[in-house]
Amino acid sequence: MSTNLSIQIQLNALQAEAYLRWLTSQYEQLMAACWYDDRYRYTPQGLRGKRILEDHPHIAGLNRTMRELVKQVGEVRS
C-alpha cells in the first residue's frame, strides 16, 4: 500500500539555505556510500543513480525535498 504525504513548513531565507546545505550534504554522503557498493557494481553508470533512488526511499525523499527547496529558495531570491 502506497500513500502519498504532503508536508508544509515555513522557514526564513537563512533557515531555508542552511537546511538545503544540510540536505545536500546528507544526500551526497548517502549516494557516495551506495554508489560504490558491490550491489551496484555492475549497474551501468547511466542507471546507477536511478537504481539507488528506487532501492533507498530515504535517499529519494531527500532528493525530492532538495528539489522543492531549491525551487522555493530561487523564487525568494528573484
Side-chain angles (χ1 to χ4, degrees):
M1 181 172 85
S2 177
T3 302
N4 291 328
L5 301 174
S6 177
I7 62 171
Q8 182 177 355
I9 60 173
Q10 290 184 340
L11 304 170
N12 65 38
L14 291 176
Q15 291 171 327
E17 290 181 12
Y19 186 44
L20 181 57
R21 284 191 304 273
W22 181 81
L23 287 171
T24 301
S25 171
Q26 295 300 303
Y27 176 80
E28 289 173 349
Q29 289 176 30
L30 291 167
M31 283 298 280
C34 291
W35 194 264
Y36 298 105
D37 190 305
D38 285 343
R39 179 177 183 175
Y40 303 104
R41 178 178 294 189
Y42 299 108
T43 304
Q45 256 187 313
L47 301 175
R48 193 178 295 182
K50 182 179 183 222
R51 179 74 47 85
I52 291 169
L53 294 178
E54 289 170 353
D55 291 348
H56 299 278
H58 63 291
I59 301 174
L62 283 171
N63 183 275
R64 291 189 67 186
T65 304
M66 288 168 37
R67 285 192 325 241
E68 186 60 34
L69 195 51
V70 164
K71 196 178 347 174
Q72 294 292 320
V73 168
E75 289 175 6
V76 169
R77 287 182 184 162
S78 299

